[in-house]
Amino acid sequence: MAQNTNNKYDVAIIGSGIGGSTLGAILARNGMKVVIFEGGVHPKFAVGESMILETSETMRAIAEFFDVPEVAYFSSENYFSYIGTSHGVKRHFSYLHHTPGQEHDLSKTLQAVIPKEPHGHEMHLYRQDSDYYLTAIAVAYGATVLQNTPVRDINVGPDGVEVITAEGRRFEADYVVDAGGFRSILADKFDLRDFDLRTHARSIFTHMINVPCYNDIGASRQTYGLPFRLSEGTLHHIFEGGWLWVIPFNNHPQSTNPLCSVGLQLDPRLYPQRDDLSPEEEFFDFIQRFPSVCAQFKEARAVRNWVRTGRLQYSSKRIVGDRFCLLGHAAGFIDPLFSKGLYNTMMSVAVLSHLLLEAHQSGDYSAAHFRPLEETTLSFVRTNDRLIANSYKSFANYKLWSVYAVLWLLGAYTELVRLNSIRAQAKDRQEYFLLTRGLKLAGGGFAEFELLADKIDTIIETVNPANETEVDQAVAEIKALFGAIDWMPIPFREVLAGKNHLPANKLKLRLFKPQGGFMGKGAYRAHFFGNHSMAALVRVFLREKFKYSTLSLRLRRKVTRAATGKIASYS
């Protein structure tokens, strides 16, 4: 390769979505010379708008261990004064199960409330703003961002890589990260795509206005007996073979954004694409099956062109090679049902950033050095695939969904507990990433959870949802499996017994019991908390509550503004 110092970089990143821009900001902040190629221009439309606790916790870890505070700005509603009010608030996941031709049965409802403490509630990200902001942060830290610069080809050699743009400009780098989504150049170049997945879903989506809160056209929050209005979080209308998301950005008093993200996910084996209809026509034709859903969209109008896809699911045979890797949706994608995609992306960004900073020092850009990224990313994709495929199957019979939903809740909870514990006990970045090895998206790497999940998934995979005798037997078996473990939180047991929501206030005195409280006992306690005491955890909780409080963030904001022209440290 010809030497051109002006176009020579440490790392080249293809794509400036939330993954590519965050990676670029981290690497530039830590002294690496980075170039990011963006085929379009910001601000640009993107989906993947619903945050979860695991994603937010990973973003806080990134902010702290790589000294990039801005990444944490999208982890909590408390940051509105930093990032603007075009984003929404997310206080819950809610699921309403529907039967064709019938009004919604209020008993077929689940609201999984997101705890407010200690960090504040989650957010609905208006991605054109969040991605644009993070791209600007990458530039502020020194990354070169080339918008309107599609990449035509990437040549990977033993001594470096060459990126060739559509206009024929050539750039050199020690390493290339393809964050270009499904149309990944490297996935095509090396024939890496894998479509042998369990989940089958296609999508129709857009942004709309005039989408009311479901409680305003259906039963009230009080009638449902729920802690929050359905518009205060992510609403999922679920039914046999699919679901529909409703993600409002105008769901809090500070909002300046009237839009609502709407998307319909359908199993194409049950609902083949209607080529005789436009995407918009197909959307409205389909929801006519469900009177309560149809009522919510009676006055709704799209403000963007509708997008209709074929089957969404794909993975990769491998995602790392000598001097290259695939990141985020370039590596794989399943379905947005439980909003796990951003968690996968952010954890992959974190692992990759750590490995790249090590490689920059050692000069080792081999596939072997980046194997932890491949293990983490592909295990996340596989776990998500099985979880979502079995959720779709359980939608066919509400009795199945009512018990399978508890496995999702338990997997998310244990993953979050492990993430929080790792950050609390890790002395440095090296230890943090040693401790994250073994995470698989759900369950926190706990062997007992993985065994439980496998047994429950196997039951779901073998049952016939149309056979009520089989369903009743499967439900009984699953409840017995849950009943045999002593580390499942009481609120989840209450949901299993028929309660339609998790409590808004999860801080109870019983959590502080020396044995059997929040920390549990035995193998569970050892895995998630090690030798930490309850007093130590309380101190961590109080420290986090103050650090991420609106008052603390407001004071930090003033300090940052006072340091004109500088980006403040996270400390």
Side-chain angles (χ1 to χ4, degrees), residues 107-173:
S107 68
K108 297 180 177 180
T109 299
L110 172 64
Q111 184 169 98
V113 175
I114 295 168
K116 184 175 183 179
E117 305 296 347
H119 301 109
H121 281 122
E122 299 294 300
M123 298 179 66
H124 290 156
L125 299 187
Y126 188 48
R127 286 286 301 278
Q128 72 171 43
D129 287 0
S130 61
D131 294 15
Y132 193 11
Y133 182 88
L134 288 167
T135 299
I137 293 302
V139 173
Y141 280 124
T144 298
V145 176
L146 303 177
Q147 299 189 71
N148 280 324
T149 308
V151 172
R152 185 177 73 206
D153 198 8
I154 302 170
N155 295 319
V156 180
D159 301 319
V161 297
E162 180 183 52
V163 178
I164 306 171
T165 70
E167 295 180 344
R169 296 176 65 191
R170 294 173 182 269
F171 296 79
E172 298 172 24

Side-chain angles (χ1 to χ4, degrees), residues 402-480:
S402 67
V403 293
Y404 193 70
V406 177
L407 182 65
W408 156 62
L409 289 170
L410 188 59
Y413 170 78
T414 47
E415 187 82 358
L416 177 66
V417 171
R418 180 64 174 161
L419 287 170
N420 284 329
S421 177
I422 288 171
R423 181 162 65 91
Q425 64 183 292
K427 297 184 292 292
D428 54 28
R429 191 175 74 215
Q430 187 74 34
E431 184 178 10
Y432 178 83
F433 286 103
L434 282 174
L435 292 170
T436 58
R437 294 288 295 269
L439 292 178
K440 298 177 182 177
L441 186 97
F446 186 40
E448 289 188 22
F449 173 85
E450 293 172 12
L451 181 62
L452 172 72
D454 182 62
K455 289 178 179 178
I456 293 174
D457 280 319
T458 300
I459 292 170
I460 294 292
E461 286 156 3
T462 55
V463 70
N464 177 2
N467 185 318
E468 293 297 330
T469 300
E470 284 190 30
V471 168
D472 290 342
Q473 181 179 345
V475 169
E477 290 176 2
I478 292 171
K479 286 186 174 182

Side-chain angles (χ1 to χ4, degrees), residues 165-420:
T165 70
E167 295 180 344
R169 296 176 65 191
R170 294 173 182 269
F171 296 79
E172 298 172 24
D174 292 324
Y175 196 89
V176 61
V177 178
D178 191 334
F182 174 71
R183 295 178 180 83
S184 158
I185 293 173
L186 291 177
D188 289 342
K189 191 180 188 79
F190 297 119
D191 188 27
L192 299 179
R193 281 288 171 252
D194 176 13
F195 297 97
D196 184 18
L197 296 161
R198 301 168 185 264
T199 307
H200 288 259
R202 63 185 182 93
S203 188
I204 306 172
F205 58 86
T206 189
H207 282 169
M208 306 184 86
I209 58 171
N210 300 336
V211 180
C213 174
Y214 184 84
N215 293 125
D216 291 337
I217 57 91
S220 68
R221 177 188 69 79
Q222 292 81 2
T223 301
Y224 271 100
L226 298 173
F228 294 106
R229 282 169 60 84
L230 291 168
S231 59
E232 292 183 83
T234 305
L235 173 59
H236 307 71
H237 294 293
I238 61 177
F239 45 84
E240 181 178 7
W243 63 285
L244 188 156
W245 80 68
V246 183
I247 302 176
F249 303 111
N250 62 344
N251 62 350
H252 58 98
Q254 294 175 271
S255 174
T256 54
N257 186 348
L259 298 182
C260 179
S261 179
V262 175
L264 179 63
Q265 301 289 115
L266 298 172
D267 185 333
R269 298 170 299 182
L270 294 178
Y271 310 110
Q273 181 172 310
R274 293 284 305 277
D275 292 327
D276 58 320
L277 301 176
S278 71
E280 181 176 20
E281 289 169 340
E282 184 179 11
F283 175 88
F284 281 103
D285 178 76
F286 184 87
I287 66 173
Q288 292 294 327
R289 302 164 189 244
F290 307 109
S292 301
V293 177
C294 194
Q296 189 174 18
F297 292 94
K298 183 178 181 181
E299 305 295 333
R301 291 189 294 114
V303 300
R304 299 182 183 274
N305 291 335
W306 287 81
V307 177
R308 179 166 58 188
T309 74
R311 186 188 177 199
L312 291 166
Q313 292 70 46
Y314 61 92
S315 184
S316 300
K317 301 165 193 172
R318 60 188 177 97
I319 68 162
V320 302
D322 294 340
R323 295 191 179 274
F324 78 87
C325 74
L326 310 183
L327 178 68
H329 291 172
F333 180 79
I334 303 300
D335 190 276
L337 177 59
F338 297 116
S339 304
K340 302 288 190 182
L342 281 178
Y343 174 39
N344 189 357
T345 295
M346 283 298 161
M347 180 55 74
S348 296
V349 166
V351 172
L352 177 57
S353 298
H354 178 64
L355 294 172
L356 278 171
L357 289 171
E358 286 188 333
H360 185 55
Q361 295 296 319
S362 68
D364 182 4
Y365 291 99
S366 67
H369 176 70
F370 290 88
R371 197 69 63 199
L373 172 68
E374 182 164 283
E375 293 170 358
T376 297
T377 301
L378 294 185
S379 67
F380 273 43
V381 170
R382 285 190 295 269
T383 299
N384 205 24
D385 183 33
R386 195 175 192 188
L387 175 66
I388 290 173
N390 287 333
S391 294
Y392 268 73
K393 185 173 182 181
S394 75
F395 292 165
N397 190 308
Y398 186 75
K399 288 186 285 188
L400 288 175
W401 164 245
S402 67
V403 293
Y404 193 70
V406 177
L407 182 65
W408 156 62
L409 289 170
L410 188 59
Y413 170 78
T414 47
E415 187 82 358
L416 177 66
V417 171
R418 180 64 174 161
L419 287 170
N420 284 329

